[in-house]
């Protein structure tokens, strides 16, 4: 088989079971082509394992467990069986990339319709096999489709169009209705963000919802309604949903009708959250609960400083708008900003706001987004639920 030999000392991260090998760690590539399966050796000639060569990526080799694609998919799907058991949700991540031994493969299931993103040469090459295995091992699977319009594909030199296509089985409807407990959502898997929905915030939505009872809630970066609809279902007196995307808000309005709870006044604002928060401050508006679930501010380590300023800005503004005993649920999905740094940024914002907060809870992505212990890069989402005292 083709082989990759690492520079002296660079076998260390592979021995620690980290799945990525960057180009700088590689001494020689003895391969007939720029892409394909390889065996990885240390400079001293020790065989370290099997990998897959990416021609256009900074991550030249991704380590792959020495097993069949079918077995790897079957294991990943099998691990999620308990998610469907209690009927709480009909939308689950079935494959979480490197952390399920399938580098660059994400598969999210929405009520039987599985939507994948393939963001490595390995994933792209094996997508038909992966789709067939998903169909075979997910007992609820009606069809498997693919989203190609993601930045990660561009970085890997993979084609980004057409944005959506069916690989196997049935064509999904324009809007798929999923549930999270009592709350239902319509998911647009063709043009919604990621594969259509932020499944990673499922546990946080459930945790934060009950705090909204009887309260006036500002849900910033609402997307299709997420936290705001949980607040409505939990008896909030008012919910203001703010997002820059008109399409997301249009779906949020349709989702509102699916929550059988009257008495919550709903307001939708298409605006930039940074600007909206300043307007609220200038007009002296206040809230009992604020959710901040922004998009990724730092795409890489080089953007950490700028992103930190962005997080501090919105958190400081939100803290000033909170009434006494108010709840702030604040999140960051920037992998480059760890939980500790995020906590520091939020603490600095509180200091500048001149207010005391209790930490009520820490959050992370749900159990269907497991992270391999040897792969800290897989841990990106963190959140804090705070109470202003
Ligand atoms: N909380 C949501 C997910 C939020 S995703 C859920 O539970 O489903 C982040 C959202 O922020 C996206 O909908 C995006 O349209 C929106 N967004 C990005 N930048 C924004 C900005 N500057 N102002 C307002 N919304 C923004």
């Amino acid at each position: 088989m083709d082989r990759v030999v690492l520079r002296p000392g660079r076998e260390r991260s592979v021995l620690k079971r980290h799945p990525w090998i960057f180009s700088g760690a590689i001494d020689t590539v003895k391969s007939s082509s720029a892409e394909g399966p390889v065996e990885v050796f240390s400079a001293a000639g020790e065989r370290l394992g099997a990998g897959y060569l990416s021609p256009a990526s900074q991550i030249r080799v991704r380590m792959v467990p020495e097993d069949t694609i079918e077995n790897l998919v079957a294991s990943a799907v099998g691990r999620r069986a308990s998610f469907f058991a209690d009927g709480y949700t009909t939308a689950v991540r079935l494959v979480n990339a490197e952390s399920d031994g399938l580098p660059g493969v994400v598969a999210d299931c929405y009520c039987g319709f599985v939507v994948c993103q393939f963001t490595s040469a390995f994933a792209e090459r094996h997508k038909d096999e992966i789709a067939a295995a998903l169909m075979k091992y997910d007992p609820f699977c009606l069809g498997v489709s693919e989203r190609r319009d993601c930045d990660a594909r561009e970085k890997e030199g993979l084609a980004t169009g057409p944005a959506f296509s069916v690989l196997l089985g049935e064509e999904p409807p324009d809007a798929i209705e999923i549930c999270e407990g009592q709350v239902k959502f319509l998911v647009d898997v063709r043009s919604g963000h990621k594969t259509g929905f932020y499944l990673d915030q499922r546990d946080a939505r459930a945790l934060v919802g009950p705090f909204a009872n009887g309260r006036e809630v500002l849900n910033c970066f609402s997307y299709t309604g997420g936290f705001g609809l949980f607040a409505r279902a939990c008896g909030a007196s008012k919910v203001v949903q703010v997002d820059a995307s008109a399409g997301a808000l249009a779906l949020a309005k349709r989702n509102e009708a699916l929550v059988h709870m009257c008495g919550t006044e709903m307001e939708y604002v298409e605006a930039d959250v940074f600007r909206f928060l300043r307007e609220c401050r200038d007009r002296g508006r206040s809230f009992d609960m604020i959710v901040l679930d922004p998009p990724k501010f730092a795409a890489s380590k080089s953007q950490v400083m700028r992103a930190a300023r962005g997080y501090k800005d919105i958190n400081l503004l939100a803290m000033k708008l909170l009434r006494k005993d108010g709840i702030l649920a604040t999140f960051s999905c920037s992998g480059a900003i760890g939980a500790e740094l995020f906590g520091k940024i939020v603490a600095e914002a509180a200091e500048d706001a001149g207010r005391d907060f209790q930490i009520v809870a820490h959050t992370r992505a749900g159990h269907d987004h497991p992270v391999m212990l040897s792969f800290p890069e897989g841990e990106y989402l963190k959140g804090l639920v705070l109470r202003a005292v």
Side-chain angles (χ1 to χ4, degrees):
M1 202 201 266
D2 294 335
R3 54 165 63 194
V4 162
V5 180
L6 303 183
R7 294 203 166 129
R10 302 306 286 270
E11 69 283 1
R12 220 164 292 143
S13 89
V14 182
L15 289 171
K16 285 183 175 172
R17 316 184 77 77
H18 194 280
W20 291 348
I21 301 175
F22 289 91
S23 47
I26 295 174
D27 182 46
T28 45
V29 178
K30 292 174 188 156
S31 167
S32 45
S33 80
E35 190 207 308
V38 285
E39 285 189 294
V40 179
F41 289 86
S42 71
E46 184 192 356
R47 186 182 183 282
L48 301 170
Y52 196 93
L53 201 56
S54 290
S57 174
Q58 294 273 43
I59 307 166
R60 282 303 302 285
V61 176
R62 284 176 168 81
M63 300 302 287
V64 188
E66 298 191 61
D67 202 344
T68 63
I69 299 276
E70 183 169 327
N71 282 344
L72 291 168
V73 172
S75 304
V77 172
R79 288 175 196 131
R80 271 74 171 182
S82 61
F83 267 87
F84 296 105
D86 65 1
Y88 177 81
T89 188
T90 48
V92 169
R93 172 154 296 189
L94 297 176
V95 178
N96 196 34
E98 273 76 349
S99 294
D100 276 307
L102 288 156
V105 181
V106 157
D108 291 337
C109 178
Y110 299 103
C111 225
F113 293 98
V114 178
V115 185
C116 302
Q117 285 177 321
F118 302 107
T119 58
S120 69
F122 165 83
E124 179 75 2
R125 174 56 60 96
H126 295 101
K127 66 177 160 195
D128 291 331
E129 236 177 302
I130 292 164
L134 284 164
M135 196 80 176
K136 182 169 171 187
Y137 291 101
D138 173 6
F140 305 102
C141 188
L142 300 168
V144 182
S145 44
E146 176 193 7
R147 282 288 293 270
R148 281 194 207 86
D149 50 342
C150 47
D151 297 346
R153 279 184 69 91
E154 224 167 290
K155 275 191 198 157
E156 295 285 316
L158 303 168
T160 51
F164 179 87
S165 57
V166 174
L167 297 173
L168 262 185
E170 285 179 39
E171 176 98 23
D174 289 341
I176 302 172
E177 188 178 303
I178 62 153
C179 72
E180 285 186 355
Q182 297 303 306
V183 183
K184 298 189 179 88
F185 293 99
L186 294 171
V187 178
D188 174 357
V189 295
R190 286 179 181 74
S191 53
H193 296 175
K194 308 214 282 183
T195 61
F197 198 64
Y198 290 87
L199 291 176
D200 53 1
Q201 286 285 44
R202 181 194 309 109
D203 291 358
R205 284 187 286 267
L207 174 79
V208 170
F211 287 107
N213 185 260
R215 290 177 173 223
E216 224 174 289
V217 179
L218 172 61
N219 182 21
C220 295
F221 308 98
S222 68
Y223 189 50
T224 57
F227 288 94
L229 292 171
F230 266 82
R232 176 174 161 86
C234 293
S237 59
K238 176 167 184 167
V239 173
V240 183
Q241 310 262 42
V242 187
D243 201 281
S245 157
L249 287 175
L251 205 48
K253 282 180 200 164
R254 288 174 67 192
N255 287 335
E256 174 193 326
L258 303 176
V259 180
H260 300 293
M261 180 79 200
C262 31
T264 304
E265 187 191 337
M266 301 296 291
E267 185 183 331
Y268 296 87
V269 184
E270 184 187 334
D272 172 59
V273 164
F274 290 83
R275 203 176 295 165
F276 181 81
L277 290 172
R278 285 191 164 73
E279 268 171 34
C280 288
R281 178 196 62 193
D282 296 345
R283 288 187 195 158
R285 255 184 113 168
S286 61
F287 297 90
D288 303 305
M289 177 164 147
I290 300 178
V291 179
L292 296 174
D293 186 20
K296 187 159 63 180
F297 286 167
S300 65
K301 282 201 178 114
S302 64
Q303 295 171 357
V304 165
M305 289 295 283
R306 212 194 57 184
R309 282 196 292 276
Y311 287 118
K312 185 170 168 190
D313 189 30
I314 52 172
N315 280 281
L316 172 57
L317 285 163
M319 285 166 168
K320 287 184 172 170
L321 303 184
L322 263 191
R323 296 185 190 133
K324 187 166 177 351
D325 284 323
I327 293 287
L328 174 64
T330 181
F331 303 93
S332 163
C333 59
S334 301
I337 294 190
E340 198 182 328
L341 175 55
F342 184 61
K344 269 189 197 151
I345 295 166
V346 173
E348 268 179 33
E351 195 184 317
D352 287 9
R355 296 191 70 172
D356 288 321
F357 288 86
Q358 296 173 323
I359 298 174
V360 178
H362 290 270
T363 73
R364 62 174 302 282
H367 300 176
D368 53 340
H369 293 62
V371 178
M372 204 65 99
L373 198 51
S374 57
F375 182 54
E377 290 84 350
E379 194 83 65
Y380 62 97
L381 181 62
K382 71 280 316 172
L384 284 169
V385 182
L386 305 173
R387 182 188 285 114
V389 291

